[in-house]
C-alpha cells in the first residue's frame, strides 16, 4: 500500500474538491465541496458526535431509496452554514445533474452536508457561509491536489488548544483500488499527546508523509500546555462548539450499507488521531462516496479497503494539523502545531 500521487482525496479518479474561504471584516469561516463523478456516487454516512448539524443524512440510510450522491458539502457556520448546500444544488441543477424526476432536465441534485462550529471566531457571529459560498466552492472545484490547512471549512477551525484545518490523505491498495479521506478538523479533543507533544497520528504515517517530525523538546510541551491552560481558563464549555466532519472516497463499487460501514471504520481512524472524540460537544460526521469505477471487491478486498479508509482519516487529521497556520481570532491567537512545538521540526 502506498499514498496516491497527491496524497489527497482527488487521487480517487473522477472526484473534485473546491473551497470558498472568507476572512477579514469579522469573517473567519468557509465551505468545502466534494463533487462526485458524473452520474453520482453511492453514498453512506455515520454520525457519531452528540451535537451534529447535518442535511440529507437520513436519505443515505441503506433502507431508503436514493443511492446516488452528486456532492457533499462541508462547511463552517454551524446550522446556518447548511445554506451553502443550496448554492451547490443550484450549480448541479444547471448542469443537469441530480436524481431524475421525469422529463429531461427535471432532476433533484442530492447534496448531503455537515457543519462545524466556528461562529464568532472572526469577530462577527452572523458572518456565516451562504448559498453564494457554495457556488464559489463549486466553481473552484478541481481534480488537482487538494489545498490543505486554513482554507474552506477549515478556515476557522480549532483543534483543542491549537489551530485546526483541512487535511487529506490517500492510499492505493495492492489490488489497485484507491481510497482517500478529506477532513475538516475542529474538535474539542486534542491531536497531541499531552505528555510528549507528539501527534497522535504520526505513528500511522504512510511512506514519508510525516518525515522529519520528531518528539518535541520538554520545554516546548510545557510552554504549550501552560499557554492552552491560560487561554481557556475562563471560557465555559458550551454544547455544539466543536466537530470534525469529512468525506471518504473510493473508486471501488460499494453498496450503501458498505459505504455506511466504511464511514464507521473512518470514525475508528478519527479516534486514533483525536482524544477525546465523539463527545456530546462534537458533531463528528463522516460520509463515504463510492464511484464504482472499479469492480466490487471480494471480502478480503473489502476488509483491506475499510482498514485503509480508517488509516486515511487518521493520517488526514495529522496532515491538517501540520498544514494549519497560526491565526488571530476574536478569542485570541490560535497557534499552529509548528509554532507551538518548533523543536518537532529540527530540519527547518
Amino acid at each position: 500500500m502506498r499514498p496516491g500521487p497527491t496524497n489527497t482525496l482527488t487521487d480517487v479518479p473522477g472526484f473534485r474538491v473546491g473551497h470558498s474561504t472568507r476572512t477579514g471584516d469579522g469573517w473567519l469561516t468557509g465551505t468545502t465541496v466534494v463533487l462526485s463523478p458524473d452520474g453520482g456516487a453511492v453514498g453512506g454516512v455515520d454520525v457519531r458526535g452528540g451535537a451534529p448539524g447535518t442535511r440529507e443524512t437520513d436519505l443515505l440510510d441503506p433502507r431508503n431509496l436514493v443511492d446516488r450522491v452528486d456532492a457533499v458539502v462541508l462547511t463552517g457556520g454551524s446550522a446556518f452554514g447548511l445554506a451553502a448546500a443550496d448554492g451547490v444544488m443550484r450549480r448541479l441543477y444547471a448542469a443537469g445533474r441530480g436524481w431524475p424526476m421525469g422529463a429531461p432536465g427535471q432532476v433533484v441534485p442530492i447534496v448531503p452536508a455537515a457543519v462545524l462550529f466556528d461562529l464568532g471566531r472572526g469577530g462577527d457571529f452572523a458572518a456565516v457561509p451562504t448559498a453564494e459560498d457554495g457556488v464559489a466552492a463549486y466553481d473552484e472545484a478541481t481534480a488537482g491536489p487538494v489545498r490543505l490547512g486554513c482554507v474552506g471549512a477549515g478556515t476557522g477551525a480549532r483543534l483543542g488548544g491549537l489551530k485546526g484545518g483541512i487535511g487529506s490523505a490517500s492510499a492505493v491498495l495492492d489490488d489497485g483500488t484507491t481510497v482517500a479521506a478529506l477532513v475538516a478538523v475542529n474538535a474539542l479533543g486534542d491531536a497531541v499527546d499531552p505528555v510528549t507533544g507528539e501527534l497522535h497520528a504520526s505513528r500511522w504515517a504512510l511512506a514519508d508523509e510525516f518525515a522529519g517530525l520528531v518528539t518535541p523538546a520538554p520545554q516546548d510541551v510545557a510552554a504549550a500546555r501552560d499557554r492552552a491552560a491560560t487561554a481557556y481558563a475562563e471560557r465555559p464549555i458550551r454544547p455544539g462548539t466543536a466537530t470534525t466532519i469529512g468525506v471518504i472516497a473510493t473508486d471501488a463499487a460499494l453498496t450503501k450499507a458498505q459505504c455506511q460501514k466504511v464511514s464507521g471504520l473512518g470514525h475508528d481512524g478519527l479516534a486514533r488521531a483525536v482524544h477525546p472524540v465523539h463527545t456530546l460537544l462534537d458533531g463528528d460526521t463522516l460520509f463515504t462516496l463510492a464511484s464504482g469505477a472499479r469492480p466490487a471487491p471480494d471480502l478480503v478486498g473489502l476488509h483491506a479497503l475499510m482498514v485503509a479508509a480508517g488509516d486515511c482519516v487518521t493520517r488526514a487529521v495529522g496532515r491538517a494539523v501540520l498544514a494549519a497556520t497560526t491565526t488571530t481570532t476574536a478569542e485570541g491567537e490560535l497557534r499552529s502545531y509548528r509554532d507551538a512545538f518548533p523543536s518537532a521540526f529540527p530540519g527547518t
Side-chain angles (χ1 to χ4, degrees):
M1 188 167 63
R2 56 180 171 79
T6 73
N7 202 15
T8 64
L9 185 136
T10 49
D11 287 337
V12 183
F15 287 91
R16 294 181 289 148
V17 174
H19 301 300
S20 172
T21 301
R22 303 287 296 272
T23 60
D25 297 325
W27 291 83
L28 192 64
T29 189
T31 298
T32 297
V33 61
V34 177
L35 296 177
S36 301
D38 290 343
V42 176
V45 67
D46 193 329
V47 181
R48 296 285 180 94
T54 58
R55 167 175 171 155
E56 298 278 41
T57 51
D58 283 351
L59 194 71
L60 301 182
D61 187 310
R63 296 169 297 180
N64 294 332
L65 173 65
V66 174
D67 64 351
R68 309 298 290 187
V69 171
D70 298 294
V72 171
V73 170
L74 309 175
T75 183
S78 189
F80 296 106
L82 288 171
D86 293 339
V88 177
M89 286 191 69
R90 186 190 311 165
R91 281 291 196 255
L92 288 165
Y93 178 77
R97 292 189 54 182
W99 187 261
M101 298 299 296
Q106 294 181 343
V107 296
V108 177
I110 306 301
V111 184
V115 303
L116 55 78
F117 185 97
D118 56 11
L119 297 177
R121 289 195 183 145
D124 183 353
F125 195 86
V128 297
T130 66
E132 295 310 312
D133 295 279
V135 168
Y138 180 100
D139 289 347
E140 197 222 37
T142 173
V146 179
R147 288 189 294 135
L148 308 183
C150 304
V151 296
T155 302
R158 183 178 73 195
L159 178 52
L162 298 173
K163 185 67 181 73
I166 294 287
S168 192
S170 69
V172 180
L173 307 185
D174 293 341
D175 67 358
T177 299
T178 301
V179 60
L182 182 149
V183 293
V185 191
N186 184 62
L188 178 72
D190 290 304
V192 177
D193 187 304
V195 176
T196 67
E198 295 174 289
L199 284 180
H200 294 310
S202 62
R203 69 194 64 181
W204 300 94
L206 193 59
D208 61 352
E209 61 192 349
F210 298 136
L213 191 64
V214 302
T215 302
Q219 58 266 30
D220 278 359
V221 178
R225 187 186 301 119
D226 292 344
R227 183 183 179 91
T230 300
Y232 296 102
E234 304 300 324
R235 296 182 190 170
I237 293 178
R238 295 175 294 165
T241 54
T243 295
T244 297
I245 51 181
V247 176
I248 298 166
T250 181
D251 53 3
L254 301 179
T255 66
K256 287 177 72 175
Q258 289 169 337
C259 285
Q260 185 182 61
K261 189 63 176 178
V262 171
S263 292
L265 269 291
H267 278 290
D268 292 344
L270 182 59
R272 290 194 292 263
V274 178
H275 177 78
V277 71
H278 306 144
T279 75
L280 284 174
L281 309 178
D282 293 274
D284 302 325
T285 301
L286 292 176
F287 299 93
T288 293
L289 301 177
S291 71
R294 293 178 59 85
D298 61 15
L299 182 59
V300 173
L302 180 61
H303 171 76
L305 186 156
M306 290 181 174
V307 171
D311 290 350
C312 282
V313 171
T314 303
R315 294 161 48 220
V317 172
R319 299 192 74 212
V321 175
L322 295 181
T325 53
T326 297
T327 303
T328 299
T329 76
E331 301 172 342
E333 185 180 72
L334 278 176
R335 300 187 83 194
S336 68
Y337 181 80
R338 290 181 180 274
D339 288 342
F341 301 93
S343 59
F345 306 89
T348 60

